[in-house]
Amino acid sequence: MTRKVMIVEDESLIAIDLKFMLEDNGYEVVAQANNGETAIELAFLHKPQLILMDIKMPKLDGLKASKIIEQQLGIPVLFISAYSEKELLLYMKQDNILGYVMKPFSEKKCVACA
Ligand SMILES: [Mg+2]
């Protein structure tokens, strides 16, 4: 089961919200980044099992960062974004892309897991 996750999101309130949700549900947030460049560095350093990645970010966007992470590390990426364009769908064809969650997102508790 996936436990170690990394959050990559440039909007700090969304990142904090997501961190609490994940920790509440038993995930360990091993790293957080607010741009694609830092995301790549931290992915190498912490080797998370899953990356939750925003798309529109400064320096290097989530699409480009995920491509590099896929090539170098093969870590699966789940996009969190309000941005759903053709470009995103093309990148979704990368092997490591799990899919995407649209913002604003909300927590859905698993009743059977409680
Ligand atoms: Mg953003």
Side-chain angles (χ1 to χ4, degrees), residues 17 71 92 99 108:
D17 216 28
Q71 287 167 346
M92 300 274 285
K108 217 174 190 178

Side-chain angles (χ1 to χ4, degrees), residues 1 6-8 20 27 33 46 52-54 70 74-75 84 86 93 103-104 107 111-113:
M1 188 169 180
M6 176 165 84
I7 297 169
V8 187
F20 280 129
Y27 291 90
H46 296 279
L52 297 176
M53 177 96 78
D54 183 25
E70 193 260 321
I75 299 170
S84 63
K86 280 183 196 158
K93 289 179 183 165
K103 286 188 270 193
E107 184 176 11
V111 181
C113 305

Side-chain angles (χ1 to χ4, degrees), residues 29-86:
V29 179
V30 293
Q32 275 180 271
N34 60 8
N35 67 74
E37 257 179 41
T38 310
I40 294 167
E41 286 169 24
L42 294 181
F44 270 97
L45 201 63
H46 296 279
K47 307 247 174 15
Q49 292 165 294
L50 173 69
I51 298 173
L52 297 176
M53 177 96 78
D54 183 25
I55 294 180
K56 285 189 169 176
M57 293 183 292
K59 290 186 186 176
L60 190 68
D61 69 41
L63 296 173
K64 290 179 186 127
S66 74
K67 182 84 182 166
I68 292 165
I69 288 169
E70 193 260 321
Q71 287 167 346
Q72 308 279 320
L73 294 164
I75 299 170
V77 175
L78 181 64
F79 285 118
I80 40 165
S81 188
Y83 182 71
S84 63
E85 303 276 11
K86 280 183 196 158

